[in-house]
Amino acid sequence: MALFVGLIVVWQLAVSLLNIREYLLPSPMAVLRAFIEPETQWWPHLWVTTLEIIGAFVLAGGVGVALGVAIAWSPRLASALVPFLVLVNTLPKVAVAPLFLLWLGYGIVPNMLIGALIGFFPVVINTAVGLSQVDPEMLDLGRVFSAPKWKIFAKIRLPNALPYILSALKITATSAVVGAIVGEFVASQKGLGYVIITTQSSMNTPLAFGALVWVSIVGLALYGAVVAIARWAAPWAEATQ
Amino acid sequence: MSNELIDLDGLGMTYAADSGPVEALSGIDLKVGRGEFVSLVGPSGCGKSTLLRIIAGLRPATRGSVRVAGRPVTRPIADVGMVFQAPILLKWRSILDNVLLPAELAGKDAGRYRDRAQHLLQTVGLGEFAAKLPRELSGGMQQRASLCRALLLDPPLLLMDEPFGALDAMTRDEMNLELLRIWGETGNAARKTVLFVTHSISEAVFLSDRIVVMTPRPGRIAAVRTVDLPRPRTVEVRASAAFGQLSLEIFRTLTGS
Ligand SMILES: Nc1ncnc2c1ncn2[C@@H]1O[C@H](COP(=O)(O)OP(=O)(O)O)[C@@H](O)[C@H]1O
Ligand SMILES: [Mg+2]
């Protein structure tokens, strides 16, 4: 915290002492002014971007867990899915953004999809790994008592995978933010990414910084929520996180 | 009903490994009576764990026959308690819920076993730890909990694979006494049959009615020794000349000297 405050002070001093022009690097005071400027209507932009980020996160988490479960459930599904997923993961997903816009048009959905596409892969991998990293002797116990496969999944494999899934979701929280902003860069009429793009022509750099502050607030809030949920849902795994 | 609980006849096991077949067990003939405590000692890799898994029906033998309670074993036998070297408790469950796991896995009403689970924990001195998570307990305490789990459904057969191998010597001695107490050394008609794998000769001598000494891989039976030391086995028994003599003989058989 002290370091953070120190950096802000150095930044402010550097900008005023070196006389750096505002459109190149605005001072913290200028950013703050833009941030609280009543004429800037933040809410619609903030709302749209937050919605995209949360949508991307939920989609990546849901699809990621579902695919991870499918892979761990059946070797046949795994051999069908894994090569395809690896291929998708090697694509530079940012490059796919214009296609999504072409297919789905402007709006929230394509930006959500881009965020989800960037963030789902670690969830798939961690889910599949967490589901299979179970003591073989524990599985022997399951077999000795003729426990059905779903029961082993519900009582042993899924709880075992939970810390793995939660730690992947921390990465996904960050990817969702990247995806939403990139989507808005490519084409949008609203959102914090849209605000940043418009400042390119208006040279209103303090406004771009103000938007960046909002982006980090949303990103940090989501990340913090995931960390808090992880602590609450898997307290036994604290040592491994 | 025959007197033998376990009857192995010409049993052999060859694993198909990537590097070619691995013969783990060969020509095992062994009968274990009901209520008998039998230890298996042998060099590591001689197939002791494999033998337990075959008896539990977790893996088919490649030769010979296995009968438990007179029936050929063709799939996992439910009437068995298993204890391994690691406690393998579920990290997210309380000790009590870990002990109740077999009831849940076997599709029984776990609620009906709560009192029994609590009682078992009491008998091994873990009564106050029922609500704790495994990581809050020492290794020895966790292994006690895993013993309770194996006993929950009151199986007539216990298969124990180096259950105390990871514990320090003092805790191990304590656990040995506790195991004998639970097994019903002081006279119990419904005594469990125990097949106990260990690396420790003195542990085998201390616990067992009979000791099966195995050869290096492929594991064969090198000798079967009856332990005619008096029960209950006490610290005095362990210090006796007969105990030392028998230990030495088993050591000689094991090392072929
Ligand atoms: N699943 C397996 N596939 C191939 N070889 C195995 C397998 N399990 C055990 N073995 C081999 O069989 C032999 C006996 O193993 P094991 O029964 O674990 O011995 P022990 O418990 O006496 O140390 C070892 O050589 C081991 O490498
Ligand atoms: Mg072994």
Side-chain angles (χ1 to χ4, degrees):
Chain A
M1 195 65 203
L3 185 70
F4 181 72
V5 173
L7 272 173
I8 299 280
V9 171
V10 170
W11 174 10
Q12 178 73 44
L13 287 177
V15 168
S16 42
L17 291 180
L18 301 175
N19 214 1
I20 298 175
R21 264 170 281 175
E22 194 166 72
Y23 72 85
L24 283 179
L25 181 64
S27 72
M29 287 310 291
V31 172
L32 186 66
R33 244 179 282 126
F35 188 64
I36 57 176
E37 169 65 63
E39 251 170 57
T40 315
Q41 301 279 316
W42 286 115
W43 285 116
H45 300 298
L46 186 60
W47 172 245
V48 163
T49 303
T50 305
L51 217 57
E52 288 169 356
I53 290 173
I54 291 176
F57 177 78
V58 170
L59 203 60
V63 171
V65 168
L67 287 172
V69 168
I71 286 170
W73 182 269
S74 141
R76 279 186 55 206
L77 276 177
S79 56
L81 283 173
V82 170
F84 175 71
L85 291 175
V86 169
L87 178 74
V88 168
N89 189 50
T90 52
L91 287 177
K93 269 136 298 200
V94 172
V96 184
L99 285 177
F100 278 5
L101 291 161
L102 181 69
W103 294 330
L104 299 165
Y106 280 47
I108 290 180
V109 176
N111 297 347
M112 275 182 193
L113 285 180
I114 294 160
L117 195 63
I118 298 179
F120 85 105
F121 197 70
V123 184
V124 180
I125 296 300
N126 274 27
T127 305
V129 168
L131 288 170
S132 37
Q133 297 273 320
V134 173
D135 262 304
E137 287 158 343
M138 183 50 82
L139 299 178
D140 282 351
L141 284 187
R143 290 181 54 207
V144 159
F145 297 109
S146 312
K149 194 174 172 181
W150 67 263
K151 205 178 250 185
I152 300 292
F153 247 80
K155 290 187 186 287
I156 296 172
R157 291 187 187 273
L158 269 179
N160 190 67
L162 193 57
Y164 294 80
I165 296 171
L166 290 166
S167 87
L169 286 180
K170 288 180 199 166
I171 304 169
T172 304
T174 317
S175 314
V177 176
V178 174
I181 299 298
V182 163
E184 288 173 358
F185 279 179
V186 173
S188 62
Q189 288 150 332
K190 257 192 198 129
L192 296 170
Y194 168 78
V195 171
I196 294 171
I197 285 287
T198 55
T199 61
Q200 276 186 341
S201 48
S202 66
M203 295 271 209
N204 189 351
T205 314
L207 189 65
F209 272 74
L212 275 180
V213 173
W214 275 120
V215 172
S216 21
I217 288 173
V218 175
L220 281 175
L222 180 59
Y223 188 84
V226 177
V227 170
I229 289 172
R231 282 225 185 96
W232 169 79
W236 71 87
E238 232 152 65
T240 58
Q241 284 182 0
Chain B
M1 193 157 79
S2 87
N3 230 6
E4 274 89 42
L5 186 69
I6 301 173
D7 187 350
L8 310 177
D9 189 11
L11 183 132
M13 176 73 202
T14 304
Y15 284 109
D18 293 338
S19 51
V22 176
E23 193 178 17
L25 292 167
S26 175
I28 305 282
D29 297 316
L30 181 69
K31 293 185 201 310
V32 178
R34 289 175 194 275
E36 204 181 3
F37 198 124
V38 174
S39 286
L40 291 174
V41 297
S44 67
C46 77
K48 304 180 294 293
S49 300
T50 300
L51 188 57
L52 291 196
R53 289 171 58 77
I54 290 171
I55 293 168
L58 291 166
R59 193 176 253 292
T62 49
R63 293 179 300 282
S65 80
V66 192
R67 287 168 172 275
V68 172
R71 280 190 301 274
V73 173
T74 52
R75 59 197 172 90
I77 53 172
D79 262 3
V80 65
M82 300 190 64
V83 185
F84 307 96
Q85 181 163 4
I88 54 158
L89 301 171
L90 296 174
K91 298 189 278 280
W92 54 89
R93 284 184 169 226
S94 70
I95 294 299
L96 182 68
D97 286 342
N98 264 290
V99 173
L100 286 168
L101 184 70
E104 293 177 34
L105 290 178
K108 298 178 195 278
D109 175 12
R112 284 183 37 234
Y113 286 86
R114 285 188 88 82
D115 288 346
R116 175 168 167 78
Q118 189 67 51
H119 173 76
L120 283 167
L121 286 171
Q122 218 101 50
T123 60
V124 299
L126 290 180
E128 284 154 40
F129 296 87
K132 297 251 189 269
L133 288 177
R135 63 166 180 178
E136 299 174 87
L137 273 65
S138 71
M141 290 157 93
Q142 290 189 23
Q143 197 56 307
R144 283 194 177 95
S146 100
L147 181 59
C148 293
R149 179 181 60 193
L151 293 168
L152 182 75
L153 301 180
D154 203 18
L157 173 62
L158 279 182
L159 299 177
M160 307 182 78
D161 195 351
E162 302 184 36
F164 310 138
L167 304 179
D168 61 87
M170 282 243 290
T171 313
R172 174 188 277 224
D173 289 351
E174 252 173 63
M175 298 288 286
N176 283 343
L177 286 167
E178 219 150 88
L179 176 61
L180 287 181
R181 200 165 43 71
I182 289 167
W183 176 63
E185 185 169 56
T186 47
N188 176 351
R191 227 177 235 178
K192 296 185 187 311
T193 309
V194 183
L195 205 51
F196 188 98
V197 171
T198 176
H199 270 132
S200 157
I201 294 171
S202 71
E203 186 175 53
V205 174
F206 186 71
L207 295 170
S208 314
D209 296 320
R210 277 192 304 155
I211 299 175
V212 176
V213 183
M214 294 178 64
T215 66
R217 203 179 77 205
R220 298 168 194 276
I221 294 179
V224 179
R225 293 296 312 254
T226 300
V227 182
D228 40 21
L229 298 168
R231 288 189 190 272
R233 304 270 164 87
T234 57
V235 185
E236 287 73 38
V237 174
R238 191 187 293 247
S240 68
F243 188 98
Q245 181 61 34
L246 186 56
S247 301
L248 182 63
E249 284 170 24
I250 288 168
F251 178 77
R252 289 209 166 117
T253 315
L254 199 52
T255 56
S257 59

